[in-house]
């Protein structure tokens, strides 16, 4: 359904509406649960927080637009497999390099996932 929606509405519109709906439901749920207060909102209005939120929004926009472009060009099954396999590899590398998580014992599963993604890409 995503591919049909992207083609019907256009990538940018589909992305924009999806993000607006997600933001609205998240903020409404937080407000209803009593978790969003003026104190917690003021913390987000500091320059450092705003710049980090802006960077996150920009990187998410690039990621989602790339994802929707990929879905419009190739099968969503392949896009999903590549995204998940790449995510496993990147998170494993980040965990090992930045958080000193042990990689021992994970080599074979990670390499198997990466090999599967490479084979999908070669098809």
């Amino acid at each position: 359904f995503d591919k049909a929606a992207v083609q019907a509405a256009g990538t940018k519109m589909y992305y924009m509406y999806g993000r607006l709906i997600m933001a609205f439901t998240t903020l409404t749920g937080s407000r209803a649960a009593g978790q969003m207060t003026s104190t917690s909102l003021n913390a987000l209005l500091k320059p450092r927080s705003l710049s980090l939120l802006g960077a996150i929004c920009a990187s998410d926009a690039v990621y989602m637009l790339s994802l929707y472009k990929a879905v419009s060009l190739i099968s969503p099954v392949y896009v999903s497999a590549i995204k998940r396999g790449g995510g496993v590899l990147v998170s494993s590398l980040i965990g090992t390099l930045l958080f000193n998580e042990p990689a021992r014992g994970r080599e074979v599963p990670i390499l198997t996932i990466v090999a599967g993604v490479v084979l999908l890409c070669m098809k």
Side-chain angles (χ1 to χ4, degrees):
F1 293 112
D2 280 344
K3 185 175 182 178
V6 168
Q7 289 174 341
T11 303
K12 292 174 185 151
M13 290 299 289
Y14 183 82
Y15 167 75
M16 180 184 70
Y17 283 121
R19 289 301 177 215
L20 284 175
I21 290 168
M22 186 184 304
F24 179 75
T25 55
T26 302
L27 291 174
T28 303
S30 290
R31 180 75 172 157
Q35 295 175 344
M36 187 174 71
T37 62
S38 60
T39 305
S40 63
L41 217 49
N42 287 338
L44 295 176
L45 299 177
K46 295 179 181 178
R48 178 171 166 78
S49 296
L50 284 175
S51 64
L52 290 172
L53 284 172
I56 290 168
C57 289
S59 64
D60 184 58
V62 169
Y63 166 76
M64 292 306 294
L65 290 172
S66 299
L67 179 69
Y68 290 137
K69 183 64 175 180
V71 167
S72 71
L73 296 175
I74 62 175
S75 168
V77 174
Y78 292 132
V79 173
S80 178
I82 293 166
K83 181 178 79 166
R84 290 171 193 246
V88 168
L89 178 62
V90 169
S91 63
S92 296
L93 286 173
I94 289 173
T96 301
L97 297 175
L98 298 180
F99 300 106
N100 296 324
E101 290 181 358
R104 179 152 282 141
R106 298 182 184 175
E107 298 94 345
V108 173
I110 291 171
L111 290 175
T112 303
I113 291 170
V114 170
V117 170
V118 169
L119 289 173
L120 275 175
C121 293
M122 292 174 60
K123 180 183 182 245

